[in-house]
Amino acid sequence: MESSMVETSDGVKIHVRLFKPSDPAADNLAVVLVHPYSVLGGFQGLLRGIATGLAKKGYYAVTFDMRGAGRSSGRASLTGFAEINDVVAVSKWVTETLSPDGIVLVGSSAGAPIAGSAVDKIEQVVGYVSLGYPFGLTASILFGRHHEAILRSEKSKLFVMGTKDGFTSVKQLRNKLKSAAGQVETHLLEGVGHFQMEGPAYDAQMVDLIANFIQSLHK
């Protein structure tokens, strides 16, 4: 694991960690992981288990602290719009540092709308995975303005959610995805809650789902 500092277009210093595979996969894709809501204590360490698992499967995995979290400078925003710059800057750094054939953006919880808004701002992104996208009515007060960007993107998408997610019901998820462009997959975890799915007990399952999604991009 290597650490770096990356500067955004608006001058924020972002702390990045790169998890390198010992035996890189043939498809040479990098995975950039976007952590849960900084305002509620989200930081890149929450995604360490998934990043480590992806590196074991042969993928370069990158985690980072969004502005105002961990060792990054700046201040976290309530709606996550400033943080789109962080995702774009880190993805640009990944492209320049690793020269991957493509990037898959993975967003966890509030990181999902932020990553979704960045997808079409980054040419190298070939796919998007949402782990517990907060589509529900209350969460939409903060993140509703992010929805349109990922729903209209033509890039391949996977939405993973527990059926007991407290922020989004299965019905709300399905209603939202009806209007989504491009290839859209969903994977529901029966009886699993939002924060439960974020926990380390589900890391291995998330790694498998992300890896299977990456492989599906070549079909």
Side-chain angles (χ1 to χ4, degrees), residues 111-183:
I114 294 166
S117 282
V119 161
D120 283 345
K121 295 181 184 292
I122 306 157
E123 191 183 335
Q124 293 78 13
V125 169
V126 294
Y128 164 86
V129 180
S130 152
L131 307 177
Y133 196 118
F135 272 128
L137 294 175
T138 307
S140 293
I141 294 167
L142 289 173
F143 306 116
R145 284 167 51 223
H146 288 280
H147 297 177
E148 188 187 348
I150 191 56
L151 294 175
R152 71 161 183 255
S153 174
E154 294 286 345
K155 295 178 181 178
S156 293
K157 300 174 270 293
L158 167 64
F159 289 84
V160 182
M161 195 182 88
T163 60
K164 298 282 190 215
D165 189 297
F167 293 102
T168 308
S169 68
V170 173
K171 185 179 178 183
Q172 284 169 327
L173 177 71
R174 287 186 172 140
N175 282 342
K176 277 289 182 186
L177 297 186
K178 275 179 193 168
S179 64
Q183 183 185 334

Side-chain angles (χ1 to χ4, degrees), residues 74-131:
R75 287 179 61 184
S77 72
L78 273 179
T79 58
F81 272 89
E83 283 80 353
I84 297 167
N85 287 331
D86 306 348
V87 182
V88 171
V90 170
S91 298
K92 184 181 175 200
W93 175 83
V94 166
T95 301
E96 291 168 355
T97 306
L98 302 174
S99 301
D101 293 333
I103 290 172
V104 173
L105 279 184
V106 178
S108 174
S109 190
I114 294 166
S117 282
V119 161
D120 283 345
K121 295 181 184 292
I122 306 157
E123 191 183 335
Q124 293 78 13
V125 169
V126 294
Y128 164 86
V129 180
S130 152
L131 307 177

